[in-house]
Amino acid sequence: MARGPGGRIALPTMRLVIARCSVDYAGRLTAHLPSSPRLILVKADGSVSIHADDRAYKPLNWMSPPCTLKEGVDDDAGVWTVVNKAGEKLIITMEEVLHDSSHELGVDPGLIKDGVEAHLQELLADRIETLGEGYTLIRREYPTAIGPVDILCRDADGATVAVEIKRRGEIDGVEQLTRYLELLNRDPHLAPVRGVFAAQEIKPQARVLATDRGIGCVVLDYNGLRGIEDDKLRLF
């Protein structure tokens, strides 16, 4: 962590720069963005991304961390050079800076599940045998370096199972569980860890992706977990 004037600790900041600039990428490919007003986002994690006023959240070009940013001096005062660990470069040629500000955002609390998802997690933890006979709970919100796993449990054979819970199961939920499994399987006290994707509704594409990755799918009956009988006629 850098130190500022007087030895004070300089906290990581988010920097927002709006400038008329051109951008050149040199790496595995080459790409050029001609001169235009753009937003340059320098995040506290070291990433740098270039945005236009369209494309929703997607940047026009970016460098993922770790990377270094060097702002030109003297004759190169208007040139920023961003270099990543592979030696690829993003060269931003500034023509006119319209705005430049930095902000300390602090630690983000992460995405808070909506009431239904949070309640589903609580109910399933209390009724873990819903996943299968002989299942036992290890804990809810099992911590990992990239966020907590909704439920960690063991099956009847004692194998570890990580459960990701969603109200509506889509591809991004499967991707999230995949990242958790990659981390959990590095822990010799837990491995091998398999995954279960649980939701009130699971989209077909998400089910296909989960199956391809060896992740089980469980459709949760919210009312059933709450002990409320469905008054609709059902065929068995």
Side-chain angles (χ1 to χ4, degrees):
M1 185 173 290
R3 291 186 177 271
R8 291 175 299 175
I9 293 176
L11 298 176
T13 59
M14 170 88 74
R15 185 177 178 187
L16 307 175
V17 178
I18 299 175
R20 179 174 293 279
C21 62
S22 60
V23 183
D24 291 278
Y25 167 78
R28 290 165 295 178
L29 305 169
T30 57
H32 175 70
L33 294 173
S35 176
S36 183
R38 298 188 175 92
L39 167 65
I40 304 167
L41 185 61
V42 184
K43 295 179 68 177
D45 65 4
S47 62
V48 178
S49 55
I50 315 295
H51 299 261
D53 193 15
D54 63 2
R55 298 164 60 92
Y57 62 89
K58 293 188 66 176
L60 297 165
N61 215 326
W62 68 95
M63 277 289 188
S64 300
C67 58
T68 59
L69 167 60
K70 179 181 178 182
E71 297 184 45
V73 293
D74 299 329
D75 293 340
D76 296 325
V79 177
W80 289 14
T81 304
V82 187
V83 184
N84 66 12
K85 63 181 181 180
E88 299 167 317
K89 293 183 179 181
L90 197 62
I91 301 169
I92 307 168
T93 303
M94 302 288 196
E95 298 169 15
E96 181 184 9
V97 176
L98 306 173
H99 175 86
D100 188 346
S101 64
S102 296
H103 309 271
E104 294 176 6
L105 301 187
V107 178
D108 191 90
L111 180 67
I112 304 298
K113 289 181 175 292
D114 67 27
V116 172
E117 286 187 9
H119 200 202
L120 280 171
Q121 183 193 115
E122 180 182 348
L123 290 169
L124 186 58
D126 287 341
R127 298 164 177 77
I128 199 65
E129 68 280 357
T130 301
L131 298 176
E133 186 176 351
Y135 272 67
T136 56
L137 178 69
I138 296 176
R139 69 167 288 178
R140 293 169 52 194
E141 300 287 329
Y142 187 88
T144 76
I146 58 173
V149 177
D150 287 337
I151 289 177
L152 198 69
C153 58
R154 296 194 187 278
D155 64 17
D157 297 322
T160 311
V161 181
V163 185
E164 178 63 24
I165 299 170
K166 298 292 184 187
R167 184 163 54 88
R168 182 180 294 107
E170 301 188 29
I171 285 177
D172 58 349
V174 178
E175 296 284 8
Q176 182 180 358
L177 179 53
T178 300
R179 293 191 293 271
Y180 288 147
L181 289 171
E182 182 181 350
L183 282 177
L184 293 170
N185 274 298
R186 297 177 190 174
D187 186 339
H189 299 293
L190 297 176
V193 185
R194 63 182 178 87
V196 170
F197 190 48
Q200 287 181 277
E201 173 193 1
I202 299 178
K203 297 293 185 179
Q205 300 94 329
R207 186 180 291 274
V208 169
L209 181 60
T211 301
D212 182 67
R213 294 183 177 179
I215 294 172
C217 291
V218 174
V219 175
L220 299 174
D221 180 352
Y222 185 50
N223 286 336
L225 287 171
R226 295 169 63 201
I228 300 175
E229 290 293 333
D230 190 344
D231 60 1
K232 295 180 181 178
L233 293 175
R234 289 180 286 183
L235 296 177
F236 295 93

